[in-house]
């Protein structure tokens, strides 16, 4: 009886792990497929109509200042991902 219960618990744990791995991990990998420079360029095209010149840091500072009215001090990768997610997951006025 104990062995059967242990097998059932192990099977449940394994299935839970497989479920989490196949549903959560691809979500993290999806955003990393787009390079940071491409994300900044896409956001600039959306906001300004064209990509801007300058370093990625300067361009991100400009985007944040124009969108948020301030420049955050987070790591640039986090800043880019946060704004990219905000701009590309928010409903458009047409929706």
């Amino acid at each position: 009886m104990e062995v059967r219960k242990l097998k059932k618990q192990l099977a449940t744990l394994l299935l839970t792990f497989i479920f989490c791995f196949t549903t959560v991990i691809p979500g993290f990998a999806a955003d990393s497929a787009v390079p940071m420079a491409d994300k900044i360029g896409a956001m600039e095209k959306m906001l300004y109509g064209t990509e801007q010149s300058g370093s990625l840091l300067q361009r991100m500072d400009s985007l944040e200042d124009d969108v948020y009215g301030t420049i955050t001090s987070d790591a640039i990768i986090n800043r880019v991902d946060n704004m990219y997610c905000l701009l590309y997951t928010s409903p458009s006025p047409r929706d």
Side-chain angles (χ1 to χ4, degrees), residues 38-51:
D38 291 347
K39 288 180 182 180
I40 291 174
M43 291 185 294
E44 288 171 335
K45 286 179 184 175
M46 176 187 274
L47 293 172
Y48 309 128
T50 184
E51 284 190 41

Side-chain angles (χ1 to χ4, degrees), residues 14-30:
L14 181 62
L15 289 173
T16 302
F17 174 76
I18 291 170
F19 174 75
C20 290
F21 184 76
T22 58
T23 57
V24 174
I25 300 300
F28 289 113

